[in-house]
Amino acid sequence: MTSFDVDGLSVAVPCSSFHEIRKSGYEDKTQKKVSVRQEIRDGLKELKREIKNWTEEVKEGYTFDPITGMPLPGEVDKQWCFDQNTNFDDWVVTSDSDHNEGYSTSSLSISPTGKGLFSGNLSTQIIKDGKVKKAGYCNFKSIRPQKSFKRDSFHDWSGYTHLVMRVRGDGRSYMITLGTAGYFDVNWNDQFHFILYTRGGPHWQISKIPFSKFYMTSKGRIQDAQEPVPQNRITSFGITAGDKNNGPFRLEIDYIGLELDPSHTETSAYEQYKVPYFYAGY
């Protein structure tokens, strides 16, 4: 507890109140309340699982071979494969209609060919509530990796130069989003994007995108001062449909992987510069 004076009154506030919470997304209003006894039971079960996860982490730390763990040039290391065994609890699918901000719908499922299928209907129609000004997006992204005892973790892709995807699209353009976690709260909304262009038709395509081509945004705004992707602090991977074209969309995904190309030495494809101070009114 921490105490301080306000207008001569001594006020006690828990120290946790001074820790800024990472606010993102929307409040989950569907969460059901449970009894204290049930919370204790669930907590003990979860504690057992977390101890097991921690044990596996310790074993992995002792048996990890840094030589065999290094990426091999030209080989694709698949991070996610979509098939009948895919656990869709590892992915979050959202659209504007989920938050009463539009009429778009989307889903992530298995296609008739046994691969991942991101599909739905995109609508730019605006709900007439006097608040929403734009609509028309569908998105899915991976959940953030965690260590045992709910500790935040990251995808460490620092040994790779390219993101590789095998997809079969419908001719639309989709946006790839890499979520990152900065050290300071001002960086919590930083994301990196690049466009996934699909050909359409019956044939699969392999898209190989350098990490140096991803551009940085904050709260959806492209930043003047661009930075390279912090590949050792990736928190999520996502794909968004939002090209403002009304109608159904369909994107099949075989795998999402990484590749090392030693000949690619570019760090960032965009100009690195500082905005003059007088732009901000100084």
Side-chain angles (χ1 to χ4, degrees), residues 19 41-42 45 66-67 82 85 92 103 107 110 115 119 141 143 161 167 170 174 178 211 220 245 262 266 273 276 278:
H19 184 277
R41 290 175 179 174
D42 295 340
K45 292 180 181 178
I67 302 299
F82 291 88
N85 298 320
V92 178
Y103 298 94
S107 64
I110 297 298
K115 304 299 181 183
S119 62
K141 76 169 188 174
I143 63 173
T161 58
V167 299
D170 52 4
Y174 298 84
L178 301 179
F211 285 111
N245 291 319
E266 183 181 58
Y273 67 95
F278 63 83

PDB file of all heavy atoms in Angstrom, residues 19 41-42 45 66-67 82 85 92 103 107 110 115 119 141 143 161 167 170 174 178 211 220 245 262 266 273 276 278:
ATOM      1  N   HIS A  19       0.701   0.718 -11.608  1.00  0.00           N
ATOM      2  CA  HIS A  19       1.210  -0.021 -12.757  1.00  0.00           C
ATOM      3  C   HIS A  19       0.233   0.148 -13.901  1.00  0.00           C
ATOM      4  O   HIS A  19      -0.925  -0.253 -13.805  1.00  0.00           O
ATOM      5  CB  HIS A  19       1.377  -1.499 -12.415  1.00  0.00           C
ATOM      6  CG  HIS A  19       2.000  -2.297 -13.525  1.00  0.00           C
ATOM      7  ND1 HIS A  19       1.287  -2.788 -14.584  1.00  0.00           N
ATOM      8  CD2 HIS A  19       3.285  -2.667 -13.731  1.00  0.00           C
ATOM      9  CE1 HIS A  19       2.084  -3.441 -15.395  1.00  0.00           C
ATOM     10  NE2 HIS A  19       3.298  -3.387 -14.916  1.00  0.00           N
ATOM     11  N   ARG A  41     -10.895 -23.942  -7.081  1.00  0.00           N
ATOM     12  CA  ARG A  41     -10.728 -25.223  -7.766  1.00  0.00           C
ATOM     13  C   ARG A  41     -10.036 -25.037  -9.117  1.00  0.00           C
ATOM     14  O   ARG A  41      -9.099 -25.762  -9.462  1.00  0.00           O
ATOM     15  CB  ARG A  41     -12.088 -25.888  -7.965  1.00  0.00           C
ATOM     16  CG  ARG A  41     -12.732 -26.386  -6.676  1.00  0.00           C
ATOM     17  CD  ARG A  41     -14.127 -26.926  -6.962  1.00  0.00           C
ATOM     18  NE  ARG A  41     -14.762 -27.442  -5.758  1.00  0.00           N
ATOM     19  CZ  ARG A  41     -16.018 -27.865  -5.689  1.00  0.00           C
ATOM     20  NH1 ARG A  41     -16.778 -27.825  -6.787  1.00  0.00           N
ATOM     21  NH2 ARG A  41     -16.507 -28.314  -4.556  1.00  0.00           N
ATOM     22  N   ASP A  42     -10.505 -24.055  -9.875  1.00  0.00           N
ATOM     23  CA  ASP A  42      -9.896 -23.800 -11.183  1.00  0.00           C
ATOM     24  C   ASP A  42      -8.444 -23.362 -11.034  1.00  0.00           C
ATOM     25  O   ASP A  42      -7.586 -23.720 -11.846  1.00  0.00           O
ATOM     26  CB  ASP A  42     -10.692 -22.726 -11.929  1.00  0.00           C
ATOM     27  CG  ASP A  42     -12.107 -23.175 -12.267  1.00  0.00           C
ATOM     28  OD1 ASP A  42     -12.340 -24.401 -12.271  1.00  0.00           O
ATOM     29  OD2 ASP A  42     -12.970 -22.311 -12.520  1.00  0.00           O
ATOM     30  N   LYS A  45      -6.180 -26.375 -10.413  1.00  0.00           N
ATOM     31  CA  LYS A  45      -5.973 -27.126 -11.653  1.00  0.00           C
ATOM     32  C   LYS A  45      -4.977 -26.411 -12.558  1.00  0.00           C
ATOM     33  O   LYS A  45      -4.105 -27.029 -13.167  1.00  0.00           O
ATOM     34  CB  LYS A  45      -7.306 -27.318 -12.376  1.00  0.00           C
ATOM     35  CG  LYS A  45      -8.284 -28.242 -11.670  1.00  0.00           C
ATOM     36  CD  LYS A  45      -9.570 -28.369 -12.461  1.00  0.00           C
ATOM     37  CE  LYS A  45     -10.571 -29.278 -11.749  1.00  0.00           C
ATOM     38  NZ  LYS A  45     -11.859 -29.390 -12.490  1.00  0.00           N
ATOM     39  N   PRO A  66      22.404 -25.212 -29.565  1.00  0.00           N
ATOM     40  CA  PRO A  66      22.409 -23.978 -30.359  1.00  0.00           C
ATOM     41  C   PRO A  66      22.855 -24.187 -31.803  1.00  0.00           C
ATOM     42  O   PRO A  66      22.526 -23.381 -32.667  1.00  0.00           O
ATOM     43  CB  PRO A  66      23.394 -23.075 -29.597  1.00  0.00           C
ATOM     44  CG  PRO A  66      24.250 -24.014 -28.814  1.00  0.00           C
ATOM     45  CD  PRO A  66      23.375 -25.178 -28.468  1.00  0.00           C
ATOM     46  N   ILE A  67      23.579 -25.252 -32.068  1.00  0.00           N
ATOM     47  CA  ILE A  67      24.041 -25.505 -33.435  1.00  0.00           C
ATOM     48  C   ILE A  67      22.890 -25.990 -34.312  1.00  0.00           C
ATOM     49  O   ILE A  67      22.627 -25.456 -35.399  1.00  0.00           O
ATOM     50  CB  ILE A  67      25.188 -26.533 -33.447  1.00  0.00           C
ATOM     51  CG1 ILE A  67      26.356 -26.025 -32.573  1.00  0.00           C
ATOM     52  CG2 ILE A  67      25.655 -26.781 -34.873  1.00  0.00           C
ATOM     53  CD1 ILE A  67      26.946 -24.715 -33.040  1.00  0.00           C
ATOM     54  N   PHE A  82      -1.605 -25.331 -41.382  1.00  0.00           N
ATOM     55  CA  PHE A  82      -3.055 -25.464 -41.246  1.00  0.00           C
ATOM     56  C   PHE A  82      -3.505 -26.776 -41.864  1.00  0.00           C
ATOM     57  O   PHE A  82      -3.306 -27.015 -43.065  1.00  0.00           O
ATOM     58  CB  PHE A  82      -3.760 -24.283 -41.918  1.00  0.00           C
ATOM     59  CG  PHE A  82      -3.560 -22.977 -41.204  1.00  0.00           C
ATOM     60  CD1 PHE A  82      -2.462 -22.175 -41.498  1.00  0.00           C
ATOM     61  CD2 PHE A  82      -4.448 -22.556 -40.227  1.00  0.00           C
ATOM     62  CE1 PHE A  82      -2.272 -20.975 -40.848  1.00  0.00           C
ATOM     63  CE2 PHE A  82      -4.260 -21.356 -39.566  1.00  0.00           C
ATOM     64  CZ  PHE A  82      -3.168 -20.562 -39.871  1.00  0.00           C
ATOM     65  N   ASN A  85      -5.481 -31.023 -37.907  1.00  0.00           N
ATOM     66  CA  ASN A  85      -5.058 -31.018 -36.507  1.00  0.00           C
ATOM     67  C   ASN A  85      -4.847 -29.611 -35.961  1.00  0.00           C
ATOM     68  O   ASN A  85      -4.360 -29.451 -34.834  1.00  0.00           O
ATOM     69  CB  ASN A  85      -3.756 -31.815 -36.359  1.00  0.00           C
ATOM     70  CG  ASN A  85      -3.921 -33.267 -36.748  1.00  0.00           C
ATOM     71  OD1 ASN A  85      -4.946 -33.890 -36.436  1.00  0.00           O
ATOM     72  ND2 ASN A  85      -2.930 -33.823 -37.431  1.00  0.00           N
ATOM     73  N   VAL A  92      -7.372 -15.743 -32.988  1.00  0.00           N
ATOM     74  CA  VAL A  92      -8.508 -14.878 -32.671  1.00  0.00           C
ATOM     75  C   VAL A  92      -9.048 -14.284 -33.969  1.00  0.00           C
ATOM     76  O   VAL A  92      -8.293 -13.677 -34.742  1.00  0.00           O
ATOM     77  CB  VAL A  92      -8.099 -13.742 -31.706  1.00  0.00           C
ATOM     78  CG1 VAL A  92      -9.289 -12.834 -31.424  1.00  0.00           C
ATOM     79  CG2 VAL A  92      -7.552 -14.310 -30.402  1.00  0.00           C
ATOM     80  N   TYR A 103     -21.092  -4.512 -40.630  1.00  0.00           N
ATOM     81  CA  TYR A 103     -21.857  -5.697 -41.011  1.00  0.00           C
ATOM     82  C   TYR A 103     -20.976  -6.783 -41.630  1.00  0.00           C
ATOM     83  O   TYR A 103     -21.493  -7.732 -42.210  1.00  0.00           O
ATOM     84  CB  TYR A 103     -22.949  -5.304 -42.009  1.00  0.00           C
ATOM     85  CG  TYR A 103     -23.959  -4.328 -41.431  1.00  0.00           C
ATOM     86  CD1 TYR A 103     -23.807  -2.955 -41.609  1.00  0.00           C
ATOM     87  CD2 TYR A 103     -25.058  -4.778 -40.694  1.00  0.00           C
ATOM     88  CE1 TYR A 103     -24.720  -2.055 -41.083  1.00  0.00           C
ATOM     89  CE2 TYR A 103     -25.970  -3.891 -40.154  1.00  0.00           C
ATOM     90  CZ  TYR A 103     -25.806  -2.527 -40.355  1.00  0.00           C
ATOM     91  OH  TYR A 103     -26.708  -1.639 -39.816  1.00  0.00           O
ATOM     92  N   SER A 107     -14.613 -15.928 -40.702  1.00  0.00           N
ATOM     93  CA  SER A 107     -14.365 -17.161 -39.957  1.00  0.00           C
ATOM     94  C   SER A 107     -13.033 -17.747 -40.398  1.00  0.00           C
ATOM     95  O   SER A 107     -12.533 -17.447 -41.486  1.00  0.00           O
ATOM     96  CB  SER A 107     -15.480 -18.184 -40.184  1.00  0.00           C
ATOM     97  OG  SER A 107     -15.514 -18.591 -41.545  1.00  0.00           O
ATOM     98  N   ILE A 110     -11.335 -25.026 -41.768  1.00  0.00           N
ATOM     99  CA  ILE A 110     -10.613 -25.931 -42.667  1.00  0.00           C
ATOM    100  C   ILE A 110     -11.339 -25.976 -44.005  1.00  0.00           C
ATOM    101  O   ILE A 110     -12.555 -26.139 -44.069  1.00  0.00           O
ATOM    102  CB  ILE A 110     -10.514 -27.349 -42.065  1.00  0.00           C
ATOM    103  CG1 ILE A 110      -9.706 -27.324 -40.768  1.00  0.00           C
ATOM    104  CG2 ILE A 110      -9.872 -28.308 -43.051  1.00  0.00           C
ATOM    105  CD1 ILE A 110      -8.267 -26.873 -40.949  1.00  0.00           C
ATOM    106  N   LYS A 115      -6.884 -27.514 -45.881  1.00  0.00           N
ATOM    107  CA  LYS A 115      -5.997 -26.429 -45.489  1.00  0.00           C
ATOM    108  C   LYS A 115      -6.784 -25.361 -44.723  1.00  0.00           C
ATOM    109  O   LYS A 115      -7.997 -25.422 -44.601  1.00  0.00           O
ATOM    110  CB  LYS A 115      -5.320 -25.811 -46.712  1.00  0.00           C
ATOM    111  CG  LYS A 115      -4.549 -26.803 -47.567  1.00  0.00           C
ATOM    112  CD  LYS A 115      -3.424 -27.469 -46.787  1.00  0.00           C
ATOM    113  CE  LYS A 115      -2.645 -28.443 -47.660  1.00  0.00           C
ATOM    114  NZ  LYS A 115      -1.578 -29.154 -46.893  1.00  0.00           N
ATOM    115  N   SER A 119     -12.250 -16.804 -44.519  1.00  0.00           N
ATOM    116  CA  SER A 119     -13.297 -16.410 -45.458  1.00  0.00           C
ATOM    117  C   SER A 119     -14.371 -15.612 -44.745  1.00  0.00           C
ATOM    118  O   SER A 119     -14.431 -15.559 -43.520  1.00  0.00           O
ATOM    119  CB  SER A 119     -13.923 -17.643 -46.130  1.00  0.00           C
ATOM    120  OG  SER A 119     -14.534 -18.474 -45.139  1.00  0.00           O
ATOM    121  N   LYS A 141      -5.681 -13.243 -36.048  1.00  0.00           N
ATOM    122  CA  LYS A 141      -4.295 -13.149 -35.597  1.00  0.00           C
ATOM    123  C   LYS A 141      -4.007 -14.209 -34.549  1.00  0.00           C
ATOM    124  O   LYS A 141      -4.924 -14.731 -33.897  1.00  0.00           O
ATOM    125  CB  LYS A 141      -3.984 -11.756 -35.043  1.00  0.00           C
ATOM    126  CG  LYS A 141      -4.544 -11.483 -33.664  1.00  0.00           C
ATOM    127  CD  LYS A 141      -3.967 -10.197 -33.091  1.00  0.00           C
ATOM    128  CE  LYS A 141      -4.367  -9.995 -31.635  1.00  0.00           C
ATOM    129  NZ  LYS A 141      -3.703  -8.818 -31.038  1.00  0.00           N
ATOM    130  N   ILE A 143      -2.556 -15.718 -31.016  1.00  0.00           N
ATOM    131  CA  ILE A 143      -2.491 -15.240 -29.652  1.00  0.00           C
ATOM    132  C   ILE A 143      -1.035 -15.117 -29.240  1.00  0.00           C
ATOM    133  O   ILE A 143      -0.150 -15.759 -29.817  1.00  0.00           O
ATOM    134  CB  ILE A 143      -3.247 -16.174 -28.683  1.00  0.00           C
ATOM    135  CG1 ILE A 143      -2.597 -17.569 -28.667  1.00  0.00           C
ATOM    136  CG2 ILE A 143      -4.708 -16.255 -29.046  1.00  0.00           C
ATOM    137  CD1 ILE A 143      -3.182 -18.494 -27.628  1.00  0.00           C
ATOM    138  N   THR A 161      15.440 -13.759 -42.477  1.00  0.00           N
ATOM    139  CA  THR A 161      15.354 -12.536 -43.280  1.00  0.00           C
ATOM    140  C   THR A 161      14.023 -12.401 -44.006  1.00  0.00           C
ATOM    141  O   THR A 161      13.667 -11.292 -44.415  1.00  0.00           O
ATOM    142  CB  THR A 161      16.472 -12.500 -44.334  1.00  0.00           C
ATOM    143  OG1 THR A 161      16.376 -13.671 -45.177  1.00  0.00           O
ATOM    144  CG2 THR A 161      17.850 -12.473 -43.669  1.00  0.00           C
ATOM    145  N   VAL A 167      -0.134 -19.743 -50.086  1.00  0.00           N
ATOM    146  CA  VAL A 167      -1.549 -19.370 -50.020  1.00  0.00           C
ATOM    147  C   VAL A 167      -2.206 -19.554 -51.380  1.00  0.00           C
ATOM    148  O   VAL A 167      -1.547 -19.673 -52.414  1.00  0.00           O
ATOM    149  CB  VAL A 167      -1.717 -17.902 -49.560  1.00  0.00           C
ATOM    150  CG1 VAL A 167      -1.140 -17.698 -48.175  1.00  0.00           C
ATOM    151  CG2 VAL A 167      -1.076 -16.945 -50.552  1.00  0.00           C
ATOM    152  N   ASP A 170      -8.058 -15.073 -53.820  1.00  0.00           N
ATOM    153  CA  ASP A 170      -9.166 -14.790 -54.725  1.00  0.00           C
ATOM    154  C   ASP A 170      -8.915 -13.545 -55.566  1.00  0.00           C
ATOM    155  O   ASP A 170      -9.847 -13.013 -56.163  1.00  0.00           O
ATOM    156  CB  ASP A 170     -10.454 -14.618 -53.915  1.00  0.00           C
ATOM    157  CG  ASP A 170     -10.291 -13.605 -52.780  1.00  0.00           C
ATOM    158  OD1 ASP A 170      -9.206 -12.994 -52.689  1.00  0.00           O
ATOM    159  OD2 ASP A 170     -11.231 -13.432 -51.990  1.00  0.00           O
ATOM    160  N   TYR A 174      -4.577  -8.460 -49.223  1.00  0.00           N
ATOM    161  CA  TYR A 174      -4.738  -8.580 -47.786  1.00  0.00           C
ATOM    162  C   TYR A 174      -3.547  -7.911 -47.082  1.00  0.00           C
ATOM    163  O   TYR A 174      -2.476  -7.752 -47.677  1.00  0.00           O
ATOM    164  CB  TYR A 174      -4.835 -10.050 -47.376  1.00  0.00           C
ATOM    165  CG  TYR A 174      -6.018 -10.773 -47.964  1.00  0.00           C
ATOM    166  CD1 TYR A 174      -5.962 -11.315 -49.251  1.00  0.00           C
ATOM    167  CD2 TYR A 174      -7.198 -10.912 -47.252  1.00  0.00           C
ATOM    168  CE1 TYR A 174      -7.050 -11.973 -49.801  1.00  0.00           C
ATOM    169  CE2 TYR A 174      -8.297 -11.574 -47.784  1.00  0.00           C
ATOM    170  CZ  TYR A 174      -8.216 -12.100 -49.063  1.00  0.00           C
ATOM    171  OH  TYR A 174      -9.302 -12.737 -49.603  1.00  0.00           O
ATOM    172  N   LEU A 178       2.398  -7.694 -38.188  1.00  0.00           N
ATOM    173  CA  LEU A 178       3.263  -8.272 -37.165  1.00  0.00           C
ATOM    174  C   LEU A 178       3.137  -7.417 -35.911  1.00  0.00           C
ATOM    175  O   LEU A 178       3.466  -6.229 -35.927  1.00  0.00           O
ATOM    176  CB  LEU A 178       4.724  -8.313 -37.629  1.00  0.00           C
ATOM    177  CG  LEU A 178       5.023  -9.105 -38.898  1.00  0.00           C
ATOM    178  CD1 LEU A 178       6.515  -9.030 -39.228  1.00  0.00           C
ATOM    179  CD2 LEU A 178       4.589 -10.563 -38.763  1.00  0.00           C
ATOM    180  N   PHE A 211      11.623  -9.079 -44.290  1.00  0.00           N
ATOM    181  CA  PHE A 211      11.216  -8.313 -43.116  1.00  0.00           C
ATOM    182  C   PHE A 211      11.577  -6.841 -43.274  1.00  0.00           C
ATOM    183  O   PHE A 211      10.946  -5.974 -42.661  1.00  0.00           O
ATOM    184  CB  PHE A 211      11.872  -8.874 -41.853  1.00  0.00           C
ATOM    185  CG  PHE A 211      11.260 -10.163 -41.388  1.00  0.00           C
ATOM    186  CD1 PHE A 211      11.972 -11.354 -41.480  1.00  0.00           C
ATOM    187  CD2 PHE A 211       9.987 -10.189 -40.858  1.00  0.00           C
ATOM    188  CE1 PHE A 211      11.409 -12.540 -41.051  1.00  0.00           C
ATOM    189  CE2 PHE A 211       9.411 -11.371 -40.428  1.00  0.00           C
ATOM    190  CZ  PHE A 211      10.127 -12.567 -40.531  1.00  0.00           C
ATOM    191  N   GLY A 220      -2.521   2.658 -36.095  1.00  0.00           N
ATOM    192  CA  GLY A 220      -3.016   2.703 -37.460  1.00  0.00           C
ATOM    193  C   GLY A 220      -2.438   3.801 -38.327  1.00  0.00           C
ATOM    194  O   GLY A 220      -2.791   3.899 -39.505  1.00  0.00           O
ATOM    195  N   ASN A 245     -13.659  -3.340 -50.850  1.00  0.00           N
ATOM    196  CA  ASN A 245     -14.469  -3.952 -51.906  1.00  0.00           C
ATOM    197  C   ASN A 245     -15.529  -4.835 -51.254  1.00  0.00           C
ATOM    198  O   ASN A 245     -15.210  -5.859 -50.637  1.00  0.00           O
ATOM    199  CB  ASN A 245     -13.600  -4.786 -52.846  1.00  0.00           C
ATOM    200  CG  ASN A 245     -12.677  -3.919 -53.678  1.00  0.00           C
ATOM    201  OD1 ASN A 245     -13.076  -2.861 -54.169  1.00  0.00           O
ATOM    202  ND2 ASN A 245     -11.435  -4.354 -53.832  1.00  0.00           N
ATOM    203  N   PRO A 262      21.075 -15.470 -46.908  1.00  0.00           N
ATOM    204  CA  PRO A 262      22.299 -14.733 -46.555  1.00  0.00           C
ATOM    205  C   PRO A 262      22.615 -13.592 -47.510  1.00  0.00           C
ATOM    206  O   PRO A 262      23.331 -12.649 -47.133  1.00  0.00           O
ATOM    207  CB  PRO A 262      23.390 -15.807 -46.601  1.00  0.00           C
ATOM    208  CG  PRO A 262      22.661 -17.110 -46.450  1.00  0.00           C
ATOM    209  CD  PRO A 262      21.334 -16.895 -47.121  1.00  0.00           C
ATOM    210  N   GLU A 266      19.691  -6.101 -46.512  1.00  0.00           N
ATOM    211  CA  GLU A 266      18.948  -4.879 -46.237  1.00  0.00           C
ATOM    212  C   GLU A 266      18.273  -4.951 -44.865  1.00  0.00           C
ATOM    213  O   GLU A 266      17.643  -5.956 -44.527  1.00  0.00           O
ATOM    214  CB  GLU A 266      17.895  -4.672 -47.324  1.00  0.00           C
ATOM    215  CG  GLU A 266      17.088  -3.391 -47.189  1.00  0.00           C
ATOM    216  CD  GLU A 266      16.047  -3.270 -48.287  1.00  0.00           C
ATOM    217  OE1 GLU A 266      15.194  -4.182 -48.390  1.00  0.00           O
ATOM    218  OE2 GLU A 266      16.091  -2.286 -49.044  1.00  0.00           O
ATOM    219  N   TYR A 273      15.047   8.955 -41.082  1.00  0.00           N
ATOM    220  CA  TYR A 273      15.323  10.370 -40.839  1.00  0.00           C
ATOM    221  C   TYR A 273      14.549  10.834 -39.618  1.00  0.00           C
ATOM    222  O   TYR A 273      13.614  10.187 -39.162  1.00  0.00           O
ATOM    223  CB  TYR A 273      14.943  11.223 -42.046  1.00  0.00           C
ATOM    224  CG  TYR A 273      13.463  11.288 -42.332  1.00  0.00           C
ATOM    225  CD1 TYR A 273      12.676  12.327 -41.850  1.00  0.00           C
ATOM    226  CD2 TYR A 273      12.839  10.298 -43.089  1.00  0.00           C
ATOM    227  CE1 TYR A 273      11.319  12.378 -42.104  1.00  0.00           C
ATOM    228  CE2 TYR A 273      11.477  10.338 -43.348  1.00  0.00           C
ATOM    229  CZ  TYR A 273      10.726  11.383 -42.844  1.00  0.00           C
ATOM    230  OH  TYR A 273       9.395  11.423 -43.097  1.00  0.00           O
ATOM    231  N   PRO A 276      12.114  17.383 -38.247  1.00  0.00           N
ATOM    232  CA  PRO A 276      12.611  18.628 -37.620  1.00  0.00           C
ATOM    233  C   PRO A 276      11.750  19.008 -36.427  1.00  0.00           C
ATOM    234  O   PRO A 276      10.532  18.816 -36.421  1.00  0.00           O
ATOM    235  CB  PRO A 276      12.499  19.650 -38.751  1.00  0.00           C
ATOM    236  CG  PRO A 276      12.559  18.835 -40.005  1.00  0.00           C
ATOM    237  CD  PRO A 276      11.880  17.550 -39.688  1.00  0.00           C
ATOM    238  N   PHE A 278      10.761  21.874 -35.368  1.00  0.00           N
ATOM    239  CA  PHE A 278       9.745  22.904 -35.550  1.00  0.00           C
ATOM    240  C   PHE A 278       8.449  22.361 -36.131  1.00  0.00           C
ATOM    241  O   PHE A 278       7.425  23.036 -36.094  1.00  0.00           O
ATOM    242  CB  PHE A 278      10.289  24.050 -36.444  1.00  0.00           C
ATOM    243  CG  PHE A 278      10.627  23.626 -37.849  1.00  0.00           C
ATOM    244  CD1 PHE A 278       9.638  23.546 -38.820  1.00  0.00           C
ATOM    245  CD2 PHE A 278      11.938  23.335 -38.200  1.00  0.00           C
ATOM    246  CE1 PHE A 278       9.941  23.173 -40.111  1.00  0.00           C
ATOM    247  CE2 PHE A 278      12.243  22.971 -39.503  1.00  0.00           C
ATOM    248  CZ  PHE A 278      11.251  22.880 -40.468  1.00  0.00           C
TER     249      PHE A 278
END
